[in-house]
Amino acid sequence: MMNEENVRPIEKSIVTDFSDRMSYGGYLGLDRLLGAQHPLSDPEHHDELLFIIQHQTTELWLKLVIHELASAREAMAADLLPVALKRMARIKHIQNVMIQQWSVLATLTPTEYAQFRNDLGNSSGFQSAQYRAVEFALGNKNEKMLSVFDSDPTARAMLERELHRPTLYDEFLRLAARRGLEVPSHILERDITKPYSANDDLVPVIQAIYEGTEQYWDLYEACEELVDLEDNFQLWRFRHLRTVSRTIGMKVGTGGSSGVDFLQRALSLTFFPELYAVRTRIGS
């Protein structure tokens, strides 16, 4: 007999007939979403589902990051810095989730992964167009990466658009210039299809923001938000590196990269170099 004291009755006002109404699953497209996991191992390896879902959820979060970065740049271009700060704050929370996700994949042992790794063929996270779009939006542009997506016109077109769009840092510096700060013209007029590189001429401008918080408080806050974004991105890269290291050691990546060594070199890449360089000057 059912213990009715341990049953929560369905309230009469709750809708239960969805024959002509939109349901939760219908709104979210759960039939397609939950049907998008197709393990290739035969017989199916228990842990391949983990591997697929880990990467699919990462791609969903990257889609949202791209959405928020686009909005943040539009807001900065329209001098709506509070809106941009809101978008950046959301991105930081998304990044925290993505960083923590690595702990789930890290439960996959080398022995378990080796039993279905060959079924991946040459598929690799290196081929993530959305990851590259985020890197491009933050400043690590690399036109040579476009050729990786020659077989995927939609992905290549997305990256082409991102290549020719100002980065988040470009929009911030343009906003700072409109506020009266003397951002060097050669930085404002740089070729935005190229990766951003450190420029000592910009450091005094950033220093003026940090040392003039009463006048530039919102710009100062934006600088710290940008630093948070970069720190989180580097933490994500590091957790990726450590997860790969504990799972495949020093093996070559499925996509043909050198694996751990390739990921290690990515840690030297930076998005907003002057925001770090200024810390050496402040208080000196």
Side-chain angles (χ1 to χ4, degrees):
M1 180 179 293
M2 180 181 295
N3 182 358
E4 295 184 357
E5 293 181 356
N6 198 34
V7 175
R8 181 176 61 172
I10 298 177
E11 297 172 354
K12 292 182 179 180
S13 60
I14 292 178
V15 177
T16 58
D17 181 4
F18 296 97
S19 56
D20 60 352
R21 295 181 177 92
M22 179 179 291
S23 68
Y24 173 80
Y27 174 70
L28 296 177
L30 291 183
D31 55 341
R32 299 187 302 277
L33 184 64
L34 299 181
Q37 295 75 47
H38 306 289
L40 297 178
S41 52
D42 186 18
E44 182 179 326
H45 192 282
H46 174 82
D47 296 309
E48 191 177 357
L49 185 62
L50 158 65
F51 192 83
I52 293 171
I53 289 177
Q54 171 87 22
H55 290 83
Q56 287 182 339
T57 52
T58 295
E59 289 295 330
L60 285 172
W61 286 125
L62 287 172
K63 182 175 183 177
L64 185 55
V65 170
I66 291 168
H67 177 69
E68 301 297 341
L69 282 172
S71 179
R73 284 177 288 175
E74 290 169 2
M76 283 189 182
D79 292 313
L80 299 173
L81 188 52
V83 176
L85 292 174
K86 169 66 175 179
R87 304 293 184 256
M88 293 160 70
R90 179 174 291 165
I91 292 169
K92 290 195 308 183
H93 287 290
I94 299 168
Q95 288 177 310
N96 287 333
V97 173
M98 292 175 65
I99 291 167
Q100 291 303 314
Q101 274 192 187
W102 287 118
S103 65
V104 182
L105 191 60
T107 64
L108 182 66
T109 69
T111 303
E112 292 163 344
Y113 184 40
Q115 292 168 359
F116 67 87
R117 186 175 187 240
N118 287 339
D119 294 301
L120 274 59
N122 292 123
S123 62
S124 164
F126 178 81
Q127 301 146 19
S128 169
Q130 291 197 126
Y131 173 81
R132 297 301 165 193
V134 171
E135 279 205 321
F136 280 19
L138 294 177
N140 285 164
K141 295 187 178 183
N142 183 351
E143 189 171 4
K144 292 180 179 179
M145 280 299 306
L146 296 179
S147 64
V148 176
F149 304 96
D150 284 345
S151 61
D152 186 344
T154 301
R156 181 178 173 112
M158 176 185 67
L159 289 177
E160 286 271 13
R161 290 192 298 272
E162 202 58 68
L163 183 70
H164 292 90
R165 186 174 184 177
T167 69
L168 184 64
Y169 200 34
D170 287 326
E171 293 292 9
F172 170 71
L173 295 177
R174 293 176 183 185
L175 174 60
R178 292 195 298 273
R179 291 285 189 86
L181 286 158
E182 297 181 2
V183 180
S185 60
H186 62 87
I187 294 177
L188 295 173
E189 298 166 4
R190 77 180 191 89
D191 183 353
I192 60 172
T193 67
K194 304 300 182 185
Y196 185 86
S197 57
N199 195 307
D200 288 340
D201 295 342
L202 183 59
V203 178
V205 178
I206 302 300
Q207 186 173 358
I209 294 173
Y210 273 86
E211 294 180 345
T213 54
E214 291 186 5
Q215 182 178 0
Y216 302 118
W217 178 262
D218 56 350
L219 294 177
Y220 166 72
E221 185 179 6
C223 286
E224 286 297 283
E225 288 289 309
L226 289 168
V227 170
D228 286 344
L229 290 182
E230 174 151 348
D231 278 358
N232 283 349
F233 201 96
Q234 292 288 39
L235 282 172
W236 187 90
R237 281 171 167 163
F238 180 74
R239 289 298 301 275
H240 184 194
L241 165 69
R242 297 305 300 171
T243 302
V244 170
S245 178
R246 70 182 286 165
T247 307
I248 66 168
M250 301 304 292
K251 290 187 181 73
V252 172
T254 50
S257 76
S258 56
V260 168
D261 183 59
F262 181 78
L263 297 175
Q264 182 74 52
R265 292 197 299 274
L267 292 174
S268 65
L269 300 175
T270 182
F271 298 122
F272 320 121
E274 295 83 9
L275 297 184
Y276 290 87
V278 74
R279 283 152 166 77
T280 305
R281 297 196 186 186
I282 294 172
S284 299

